[in-house]
Amino acid sequence: MSKWWLAVLLLLPSQAFAAQTAQAGATPATVIVLGVDHAAQLVSERDQPALLDAFLARAKPDAICIERAPEAFARGDFYEFTYEAQDVAVPFARRHGIEVCPIDWEPPAEDQRLGFGISLDAPPELRPVKGFMGFLAFGQEASTRDFFHADDPAKLHKVANWATTPAARAKNDLPRRLYLYRTYLQAQRIAAAARAHPGGTVVVVVGEFHKHDIEAILKDDPGVRLVQPSSLGRPDAKDIAAHDRSEYRTAIASFNLLGLQSQTGPVDYGYVGRAVAALEADGATPQARLFRVRLDLLQGRIERGDAIARYRAIAADAGDARFAWTGVKDTARVDSWFDPFGNLDVRRRALLEAARESQAAGDAAVANELLEACTDGLSPRQREQLRGYWQRDVAVANSPR
């Protein structure tokens, strides 16, 4: 080891002690680390977006920390799947004039390629149905997740064991080592946010796997007073309803009715049905009508022929209407992180759904005609992606069971 590195390692403990001593006279900030399962708010009514909105209002934060690196946040770039950050916490903060503190860290793209052979933030042209870079859908456990699930360390013992257990082969240990470094830097950025708001309140909205390690790192920081989210109490139904928003309802309906969740995972039709009914109460918009047809079809309330006719009628009336929420990050693509066709407007989506049902009814000619109408006006890349996903769906439907 060089003398320079040795000097740094020897000086660090004393410098850290000096920094803590300097902060000792300041009033600590209250830090509330809310561990989330990314986007599970869309499938669990006990963890719904309006509940997070109501909780943030109850906490009255001076700052909200979110799971994104400062450099990416500065250019308006979020992870695709952190619905709770870019679609609930950040808009809440901006509506109420609350500071947003991005606290994540990720290795540079070149380091990602060196360690993993790929860039972790660049999906392939056609995403796989599941697995790495695949579309997101949840299983039964997530559909019943409670808002305060992560407050209990016992529920996250698997990640704690993984974090403290090196891989059997050192060359396979990069994910764990990055996790430890990443979580440590998250904690330091939270501490910096706390120092910037002495005596105030800082709410951290972060993946639940990071929560308890962050708290372990911060527990001895004199500028931080850790408080468990559940100690604030759970907003009641009236409070949650007061914080519900049209874009939350649209996200719930879109994720469960149009995405892979409707094909591969359980759907809480009561939860989704209430979201659709609330959208309908605001008016018979093209998106609300489309959600209703899809919901009724999935629940067996209407026949396929009726659904096709209603989809066609929606397409004829929709004009250039778009969905109030799509989850699309790259608008040059046709997909989103949960739906192969997530970037279509309402008219094209209605045509696509009519084509799907026509194909399922055995009328390939009509299905192809509807599909061509759906692709009209899309970019060449979007058309190729749409056709690629369509062909994959047809191949799966026609494969032996």
Side-chain angles (χ1 to χ4, degrees):
M1 181 180 294
S2 71
K3 291 182 179 180
W4 184 83
W5 270 106
L6 181 60
V8 169
L9 292 175
L10 290 174
L11 283 172
L12 277 176
S14 60
Q15 289 177 340
F17 177 79
Q20 288 189 353
T21 302
Q23 289 291 321
T27 305
T30 297
V31 174
I32 304 166
V33 183
L34 179 69
V36 301
D37 186 357
H38 297 308
Q41 303 83 13
L42 300 175
V43 297
S44 174
E45 193 164 21
R46 291 179 56 78
D47 193 20
Q48 62 179 287
L51 175 51
L52 174 54
D53 197 299
F55 176 82
L56 292 172
R58 174 169 293 194
K60 297 181 174 62
D62 298 282
I64 298 175
C65 296
I66 62 162
E67 192 171 345
R68 196 52 168 146
E71 301 86 352
F73 178 76
R75 59 178 185 268
D77 184 354
F78 298 91
Y79 298 119
E80 288 187 298
F81 49 83
T82 50
Y83 168 81
E84 69 290 333
Q86 60 260 36
D87 290 300
V88 183
V90 171
F92 177 92
R94 288 173 175 162
R95 287 195 303 270
H96 297 281
I98 298 168
E99 182 182 359
V100 177
C101 301
I103 52 96
D104 203 11
W105 172 87
E106 60 180 351
E110 284 305 315
D111 289 358
Q112 295 175 28
R113 293 188 185 96
L114 186 64
F116 298 107
I118 58 171
S119 174
L120 303 178
D121 207 24
E125 283 300 287
L126 290 183
R127 305 177 197 238
V129 173
K130 57 184 178 180
F132 183 66
M133 291 289 187
F135 294 101
L136 180 64
F138 292 96
Q140 186 62 46
E141 185 177 354
S143 68
T144 58
R145 186 188 187 279
D146 184 74
F147 186 74
F148 295 126
H149 173 89
D151 279 18
D152 182 359
K155 293 178 179 177
L156 299 173
H157 68 279
K158 288 184 179 179
V159 71
N161 291 342
W162 172 79
T164 56
T165 306
R169 303 177 69 181
K171 77 181 190 72
N172 297 329
D173 204 33
L174 180 58
R176 186 188 71 90
R177 296 182 186 197
L178 284 178
Y179 163 84
L180 293 172
Y181 184 67
R182 177 184 175 192
T183 301
Y184 187 86
L185 288 189
Q186 288 174 344
Q188 298 311 309
R189 285 176 168 154
I190 294 166
R195 289 193 294 271
H197 298 88
T201 298
V202 176
V203 172
V204 182
V205 181
V206 69
E208 60 188 8
F209 283 4
H210 301 285
K211 172 180 166 67
H212 296 291
D213 197 27
I214 287 172
E215 291 175 335
I217 294 165
L218 294 179
K219 69 178 182 179
D220 296 320
D221 191 311
V224 170
R225 183 177 75 93
L226 290 169
V227 170
Q228 289 304 313
S230 52
S231 68
L232 275 66
R234 185 187 188 89
D236 60 23
K238 183 178 179 181
D239 196 12
I240 294 170
H243 286 266
D244 206 357
R245 302 177 64 86
S246 177
E247 57 266 33
Y248 298 165
R249 301 165 191 148
T250 303
I252 293 164
S254 293
F255 189 91
N256 288 280
L257 299 178
L258 303 184
L260 266 287
Q261 190 69 29
S262 65
Q263 302 174 35
T264 63
V267 174
D268 182 344
Y269 285 112
Y271 179 38
V272 177
R274 283 184 281 278
V276 173
L279 288 170
E280 291 173 319
D282 291 336
T285 63
Q287 74 161 15
R289 291 167 58 196
L290 190 146
F291 288 146
R292 172 54 63 186
V293 177
R294 179 68 174 155
L295 177 62
D296 287 350
L297 183 62
L298 287 173
Q299 291 194 282
R301 293 176 179 167
I302 59 174
E303 298 296 329
R304 176 171 283 133
D306 186 17
I308 293 171
R310 289 166 67 180
Y311 282 137
R312 282 179 174 271
I314 293 167
D317 297 340
D320 59 358
R322 299 198 65 86
F323 293 96
W325 178 88
T326 64
V328 172
K329 178 175 178 178
D330 184 354
T331 57
R333 299 177 62 97
V334 79
D335 57 11
S336 70
W337 47 276
F338 69 95
D339 179 1
F341 311 103
N343 199 23
L344 297 180
D345 59 20
V346 179
R347 182 184 67 83
R348 289 188 177 92
R349 187 60 189 239
L351 290 171
L352 177 78
E353 294 301 331
R356 275 176 157 177
E357 298 307 323
S358 297
Q359 181 75 30
D363 197 339
V366 170
N368 288 331
E369 178 185 329
L370 290 165
L371 189 69
E372 283 305 307
C374 176
T375 61
D376 185 44
L378 297 180
S379 71
R381 181 188 185 192
Q382 290 172 331
R383 285 198 297 270
E384 288 304 307
Q385 287 179 333
L386 187 147
R387 289 179 178 131
Y389 286 129
W390 171 267
Q391 290 166 5
R392 188 165 72 186
D393 284 354
V394 170
V396 170
N398 293 334
S399 63
R401 299 293 175 102

